[in-house]
């Protein structure tokens, strides 16, 4: 069995980005495994009506993959998928991908410094370094609502849309009012007989200004790429500034609240509905919702917001705690994902047989979100505490790419058996992260998927993107234990990219 230089798990945005950057750094022996038959990750899997990104396309893309032809400010899901397909071909990545290959386990062989991956088929892969790019929102599950199995109508989860189901003339429920629901509801009301939206917590909704990209601008971006980069920078700094309102509670948070309330006042005339839709938590605590058609959709004659708690599902529909039974042909669960806050959905076995799932069963921890002690030569994409609340995820991912390229090339160039982050360094880093997190809006009392059931935040980065990028540009070798492959001696590695300016 060949031992590859790098195994990348997942062919979504982040796994493909890792392959591009590693190839550019001279790492050629790369294999990418993908459980599906296409690239695209969460954007391939989520195809619900109305799907689009709530971060502008110029920022929700890699700075090193130019696409001057984005059709509008906020890209639709299908446009993002097409872009991911394009970059796969543009950078010659397709031949590196093994499709329909689902990893079932990953084990580090200490004596050789090689990771072995088992798959659902009988195929195995070996590699000296691994990039875990399977994504935190790759899987979904139905929520644990009483009576859910008794419901006899059609159940659809937002993350696995049933395109064969015809909503025309149907009585439909949507459970959930998060980022997915505010995109789905305006589409469903166009076809369904009626839609009832079951809200547990009203969120902050900001208007979405989504102009189409004029042909002249597209042509300017194509001819003078610096103009597109300039536009990206303007968006980057605009989002960066919003951290002062969304990541930390400040006077600017009340400005955001005022904008949200003004949007609600302008869009919703009925004072009772306005009251039902008014959030009672600090803006930013949950993900901000961006939509200009959600409030109008809720006020259509065939739509109704229900904010009585759900008591149980019944064979015919949903019974709320006021005793009313609502009858439905279909229930759409826009209730979120099976978020992987405790590691990827397969066992990972590190030094001395330790298990990542066990190590993280309390709370997930990594160093700079990228390395975990006891799991050498392994790099996490979107690892613990790497999530942004105010800027593009892909900006943060670019920092992770810089970091893993420094790590992987150091392991290969120095012929290391093992590059393992020190436990004391990881602990100190996480103590500092948790201290900083305690001052953020995410910890201000609302309930969100950012937190574990016991209220621990293992998902968000408590700072500006610029701070995150700065820390990721510096790969500090003194923070790691390095062992040579041949002699088995501890060593101080030399790097070509230790500090990426
Ligand atoms: P979400 O934000 O977690 O929202 C889930 C919704 O379902 C919430 O309103 C929640 O209520 C409700 N809910 C969950 N369980 C429930 C239950 N048992 N009974 C009643 N209501 C229940 O999930 P999502 O909308 O799928 O979005 C998840 C994440 O995906 C987002 O935060 C974002 O990161 C990503 N996303 C991004 C985009 C984009 O445009 N870039 C679009 C969609 C999703 P509570 O609020 O009371 O918990």
């Amino acid at each position: 069995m060949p031992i590859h230089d790098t195994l990348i798990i997942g062919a979504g945005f982040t796994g493909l980005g890792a392959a591009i950057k590693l190839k550019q750094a001279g790492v050629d022996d790369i294999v990418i495994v993908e459980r599906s038959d296409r690239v695209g990750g969460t954007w391939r899997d989520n195809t619900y009506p109305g799907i689009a990104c709530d971060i502008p396309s110029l920022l929700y893309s890699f700075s090193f993959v130019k696409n001057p032809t984005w059709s509008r400010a906020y890209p639709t899901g299908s446009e993002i998928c097409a872009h991911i397909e394009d970059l796969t071909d543009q950078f010659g990545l397709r031949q590196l991908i093994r499709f329909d290959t689902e990893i079932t386990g990953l084990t580090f062989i200490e004596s050789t410094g090689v990771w072995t991956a088992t798959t659902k088929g009988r195929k195995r892969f070996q590699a000296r370094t691994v990039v875990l790019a399977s994504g935190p929102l790759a899987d979904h599950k139905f929520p644990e609502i009483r009576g859910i199995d008794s419901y006899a109508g059609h159940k659809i989860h937002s993350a696995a849309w049933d395109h064969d189901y015809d909503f025309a003339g149907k009585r439909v429920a949507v459970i959930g009012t998060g980022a997915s629901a505010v995109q789905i509801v305006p589409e469903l009301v166009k076809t369904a007989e009626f839609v009832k939206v079951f809200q547990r917590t009203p969120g902050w909704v900001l208007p979405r200004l989504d102009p189409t990209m004029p042909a002249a601008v597209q042509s300017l971006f194509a001819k003078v790429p610096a103009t597109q980069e300039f536009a990206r920078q303007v968006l980057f700094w605009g989002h960066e500034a919003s951290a002062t309102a969304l990541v930390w509670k400040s006077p600017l948070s009340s400005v955001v609240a005022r904008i949200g309330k003004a949007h609600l006042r302008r869009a919703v005339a009925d004072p009772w509905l306005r009251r039902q839709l008014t959030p009672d938590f600090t803006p930013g605590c949950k993900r901000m919702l961006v939509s200009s058609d959600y409030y109008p959709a809720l006020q259509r004659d065939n739509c109704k917001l229900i904010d009585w708690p759900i008591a149980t599902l019944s064979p015919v529909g949903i019974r709320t705690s006021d005793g009313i039974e609502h009858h439905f042909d279909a229930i759409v669960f826009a209730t979120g994902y099976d978020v992987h806050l405790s590691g990827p959905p397969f066992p990972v076995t590190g030094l001395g047989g330790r298990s990542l799932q066990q190590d993280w069963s309390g709370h997930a921890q990594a160093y700079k979100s990228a390395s975990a002690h006891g799991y050498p030569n392994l790099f996490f994409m979107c690892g613990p505490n790497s999530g942004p609340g105010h800027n593009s995820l892909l900006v943060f991912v670019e920092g992770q790419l810089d970091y893993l390229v420094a790590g992987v090339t150091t392991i290969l160039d120095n012929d290391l058996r093992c590059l393992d982050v020190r436990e004391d360094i990881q602990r100190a880093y996480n103590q500092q992260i948790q201290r900083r997190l305690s001052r953020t809006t995410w910890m201000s009392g609302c309930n969100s998927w950012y937190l574990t059931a016991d209220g621990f935040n293992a998902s968000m980065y408590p700072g500006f993107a610029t701070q995150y990028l700065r820390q990721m540009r510096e790969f500090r070798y003194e923070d790691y234990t390095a062992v040579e492959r041949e002699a088995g001696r501890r060593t101080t590695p030399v790097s070509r990219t230790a500090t990426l300016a």
Side-chain angles (χ1 to χ4, degrees):
M1 193 189 324
I3 298 175
H4 299 283
D5 284 345
T6 303
L7 168 69
I8 299 175
I9 299 175
F13 246 132
T14 60
L16 297 169
I20 294 170
K21 283 290 186 179
L22 285 170
K23 276 182 76 174
Q24 288 174 346
V27 180
D28 288 322
D29 182 10
I30 299 171
V31 65
I32 306 172
V33 290
E34 167 55 52
R35 68 181 177 180
S36 170
D37 59 356
R38 277 183 306 131
V39 297
T42 193
W43 292 104
R44 171 204 59 224
D45 296 338
N46 279 268
T47 57
Y48 59 74
I51 184 160
C53 187
D54 53 14
I55 295 284
S57 45
L58 292 180
L59 201 54
Y60 195 82
S61 46
F62 286 132
S63 61
F64 49 86
V65 181
K66 293 288 174 242
N67 177 8
T69 62
W70 289 113
S71 65
R72 52 192 322 111
Y74 291 96
T76 61
S78 57
E79 190 169 12
I80 295 173
C81 276
H83 174 70
I84 297 174
E85 292 280 354
D86 283 351
L87 72 84
T88 306
D89 292 324
Q90 188 187 337
F91 289 89
L93 304 180
R94 213 167 282 279
Q95 72 258 26
L96 306 180
I97 307 174
R98 307 290 172 269
F99 288 106
D100 299 308
T101 306
E102 183 167 348
I103 297 291
T104 52
L106 200 56
T107 303
F108 188 66
I109 313 294
E110 213 165 327
S111 54
T112 52
V114 168
W115 281 98
T116 299
T118 50
T119 66
K120 250 194 182 156
R122 298 256 286 282
K123 204 156 171 44
R124 290 153 78 92
F125 294 89
Q126 289 200 315
R128 296 187 55 199
T129 59
V130 172
V131 177
L132 260 178
S134 48
L137 303 181
D139 291 314
H140 68 277
K141 63 171 185 198
F142 287 101
E144 284 164 18
I145 298 184
R146 201 151 74 92
I148 187 164
D149 293 330
S150 71
Y151 175 62
H154 200 64
K155 287 201 299 250
I156 302 172
H157 195 284
S158 60
W161 200 256
D162 180 356
H163 290 275
D164 293 332
Y165 188 77
D166 182 7
F167 283 90
K170 299 288 190 337
R171 303 161 301 166
V172 182
V174 176
I175 302 181
T177 52
S180 301
V182 300
Q183 296 180 339
I184 292 170
V185 171
E187 295 304 313
L188 278 187
V189 294
K190 291 178 189 164
T191 47
E193 182 187 325
F194 69 75
V195 177
K196 289 186 179 171
V197 180
F198 289 80
Q199 169 186 276
R200 197 162 61 176
T201 315
W204 288 102
V205 185
L206 297 180
R208 190 163 88 140
L209 310 170
D210 187 18
T212 52
M213 204 77 84
V217 173
Q218 290 176 330
S219 143
L220 180 68
F221 286 167
K223 286 188 190 130
V224 192
T227 55
Q228 184 167 1
E229 181 51 33
F230 177 74
R232 181 184 168 95
Q233 286 298 324
V234 170
L235 287 168
F236 172 82
W237 287 107
H239 280 77
E240 198 62 339
S242 74
T244 55
L246 299 178
V247 176
W248 303 279
K249 190 170 179 177
S250 74
L252 289 173
S253 313
S254 31
V255 174
V256 173
R258 276 207 293 276
I259 296 171
K261 282 185 180 162
H263 176 48
L264 180 59
R265 252 194 327 273
R266 231 191 348 260
V268 178
D270 174 23
W272 176 245
L273 182 59
R274 271 211 306 264
R275 238 177 88 184
Q276 288 176 302
L277 289 168
T278 302
D280 65 355
F281 58 88
T282 310
C285 185
K286 284 171 181 283
R287 189 180 174 88
M288 295 300 292
L289 306 174
V290 187
S291 172
S292 292
D293 49 9
Y294 176 58
Y295 288 153
L298 288 178
Q299 294 169 89
R300 282 176 60 133
D301 290 343
N302 65 339
C303 191
K304 189 168 168 51
L305 182 78
I306 312 278
D307 63 354
W308 281 95
I310 294 173
T312 181
L313 263 60
S314 72
V316 292
I318 297 175
R319 196 172 317 131
T320 39
S321 61
D322 55 352
I324 295 177
E325 184 155 62
H326 305 260
H327 291 217
F328 297 110
D329 299 307
I331 300 180
V332 171
F333 293 84
T335 44
Y337 297 80
D338 182 11
V339 187
H340 298 149
L341 291 180
S342 56
F346 47 80
V348 178
T349 309
L351 289 175
R354 62 196 295 165
S355 145
L356 186 71
Q357 274 72 14
Q358 257 168 34
D359 281 354
W360 283 7
S361 61
H363 299 132
Q365 279 201 358
Y367 177 55
K368 295 190 181 179
S369 74
S371 307
H373 172 68
Y375 304 88
N377 310 357
L378 177 69
F379 298 90
F380 296 90
M381 303 299 300
C382 303
N385 298 111
S386 64
H390 67 287
N391 213 319
S392 169
L393 177 81
L394 292 185
V395 165
F396 280 62
V397 165
E398 288 202 18
Q400 294 154 28
L401 296 179
D402 285 345
Y403 198 79
L404 81 87
V405 166
V408 167
T409 53
T410 301
I411 291 165
L412 299 177
D413 292 354
N414 292 271
D415 201 19
L416 299 181
R417 183 190 297 175
C418 173
L419 186 68
D420 187 26
V421 68
R422 283 169 40 191
E423 192 172 14
D424 57 327
I425 294 287
Q426 179 174 306
R427 196 180 320 113
Y429 175 82
N430 280 281
Q431 281 167 351
Q432 191 216 31
I433 285 285
Q434 291 302 322
R435 248 194 327 273
R436 287 168 59 190
L437 271 168
S438 66
R439 297 190 286 269
T440 62
T441 53
W442 305 309
M443 310 307 288
S444 63
C446 77
N447 193 11
S448 75
W449 67 262
Y450 303 151
L451 309 180
T452 57
D454 62 350
F456 185 81
N457 192 328
S459 43
M460 306 303 276
Y461 176 74
F464 291 101
T466 24
Q467 288 174 299
Y468 183 78
L469 292 176
R470 196 177 316 124
Q471 77 164 18
M472 300 311 275
R473 283 197 189 106
E474 191 189 12
F475 201 109
R476 292 160 49 95
Y477 292 98
E478 59 273 34
D479 294 346
Y480 285 76
T481 306
V483 178
E484 288 174 355
R485 192 146 71 128
E486 286 305 320
R489 278 190 309 243
R490 287 196 175 200
T491 183
T492 308
V494 184
S495 162
R496 32 181 166 130
T497 54
T499 305
L500 300 142

